[in-house]
Amino acid sequence: ARLALHVYEKCASRPENLGRMRELFDKVSVVAVDDGEVRRDECSGYLRHLVDHYADPPDYALFFQADASDHMQWGYLALVMRALEQHALRAQ
């Protein structure tokens, strides 16, 4: 399986750990997202990804905020990743 990482940057800066990301993923892209006056949260980044990949969506997409550990349980993510690895979850 190929893993691509898409970083939607909303602060007009380059991710600090971009080199490490490129070591771990087959493809890494960094896309600048400007909310303008519409929104100031992660939703515009998620929407941008869905629009950009509408014609050829991935089998799975996981969306995280920069401070992901404040919003989720790492054990649950590990369980989801194991299920994906074992093909227990199938894309329709």
Side-chain angles (χ1 to χ4, degrees):
R2 295 186 41 115
L3 272 175
L5 176 65
H6 304 277
V7 177
Y8 292 86
E9 180 56 57
K10 298 170 54 70
C11 299
S13 63
R14 183 179 161 135
E16 294 175 12
N17 54 349
L18 187 57
R20 180 70 176 135
M21 291 176 188
R22 288 192 169 130
E23 292 173 7
L24 297 172
F25 293 89
D26 297 312
K27 176 184 175 188
V28 175
S29 64
V30 179
V31 179
V33 175
D34 182 13
D35 289 338
E37 297 301 318
V38 179
R39 292 194 72 113
R40 296 278 183 219
D41 60 15
E42 66 281 351
C43 295
S44 57
Y46 300 161
L47 181 59
R48 173 71 185 268
H49 178 80
L50 295 172
V51 169
D52 287 352
H53 299 276
Y54 183 79
D56 187 25
D59 289 336
Y60 303 98
L62 305 175
F63 296 93
F64 299 97
Q65 293 178 241
D67 57 349
S69 61
D70 291 345
H71 302 279
M72 61 179 243
Q73 299 293 321
W74 289 107
Y76 181 69
L77 176 61
L79 178 65
V80 170
M81 297 306 292
R82 278 195 305 275
L84 289 173
E85 182 180 55
Q86 296 175 8
H87 305 284
L89 303 175
R90 297 187 193 277
Q92 298 294 323

